[in-house]
Amino acid sequence: MFQVTDPARRRFAVATLVGFIAGVFSAIVKFGWEVPFPPRTPERNAVNPPQTLLEQLGFPTSVSRATVEFNGWDLPISSFVVHFGFAIAVGVVYCLVAEVWPTIKLWQGAAFGLLIWVFFHLLLMPAMGTVPAPWDQPWQEHFSEALGHVVWMWSIEIVRRDLRNRIAHEPDAEVPPTAVDRAAVPVTV
């Protein structure tokens, strides 16, 4: 469970680049998840958690509730910046940690996604007053956010594994390269 990889096999520069790409991709995945499973009621989403957080940090409403128009829709650009910024930060941290402690990849990242959901949505944000206490949130919000975080982190892991292995031309740091070398050698009869 607490396996640590060989320092010679770690690729931190690759992990940083891949984490950035995976973060952007995962932010789009999470947006897509929230179309069929909106986490908040329309009333609670009138001022969404990213906007509330920005206001708690002292940003004026002219910034926190700023919008841009696209195709006739007013889009909450500050919310998007927070959403993408968070996804990119988590993606980079996840990919860097995966280079050292592969256990973070448990269930292809799903376990870490649930941990992020519990920490942020059930503990930190309610404690800060950014969102209501967990027992004051509807079950639909818990459903959307919990499973959304699983899908979100799974998308980061899928991108991480594929791009890390392609760019580094080797398997993950905990996989012995000899195991892959033997598998790649054609068998002749």
Side-chain angles (χ1 to χ4, degrees):
M1 175 133 189
F2 298 105
Q3 174 188 11
V4 176
T5 61
D6 176 1
R9 298 281 317 285
R10 298 173 186 162
R11 305 291 178 256
F12 291 122
V14 171
T16 302
L17 172 64
V18 168
F20 180 85
I21 295 167
V24 171
F25 179 80
S26 73
I28 296 166
V29 167
K30 186 72 163 65
F31 273 145
W33 174 266
E34 291 179 356
V35 170
F37 301 109
R40 286 169 296 282
T41 63
E43 298 78 26
R44 280 212 32 239
N45 206 46
V47 178
N48 61 44
Q51 293 167 327
T52 302
L53 177 63
L54 289 173
E55 292 166 13
Q56 289 173 317
L57 295 174
F59 286 87
T61 57
S62 61
V63 172
S64 68
R65 300 182 194 185
T67 61
V68 294
E69 188 269 330
F70 181 80
N71 199 23
W73 290 86
D74 285 329
L75 304 173
I77 190 67
S78 296
S79 296
F80 291 178
V81 169
V82 171
H83 178 83
F84 274 88
F86 182 78
I88 291 167
V90 171
V92 169
V93 168
Y94 175 83
C95 291
L96 289 170
V97 171
E99 290 292 312
V100 180
W101 294 288
T103 303
I104 197 171
K105 300 181 291 185
L106 181 67
W107 305 337
Q108 295 189 2
F112 188 67
L114 286 172
L115 182 69
I116 293 288
W117 168 66
V118 168
F119 180 74
F120 283 93
H121 287 267
L122 301 182
L123 300 173
L124 184 62
M125 291 195 308
M128 293 173 54
T130 307
V131 299
W135 49 86
D136 291 332
Q137 297 173 22
W139 71 267
Q140 295 94 330
E141 183 165 349
H142 294 302
F143 173 82
S144 174
E145 291 291 2
L147 291 180
H149 278 72
V150 166
V151 171
W152 169 67
M153 280 307 303
W154 184 41
S155 73
I156 290 175
E157 173 56 21
I158 290 169
V159 171
R160 184 209 64 78
R161 178 157 308 186
D162 185 70
L163 291 183
R164 190 253 190 232
N165 295 348
R166 286 175 188 269
I167 294 169
H169 301 289
E170 63 185 17
D172 286 357
E174 75 275 10
V175 177
T178 56
V180 175
D181 292 342
R182 282 196 302 269
V185 174
V187 177
T188 57
V189 188

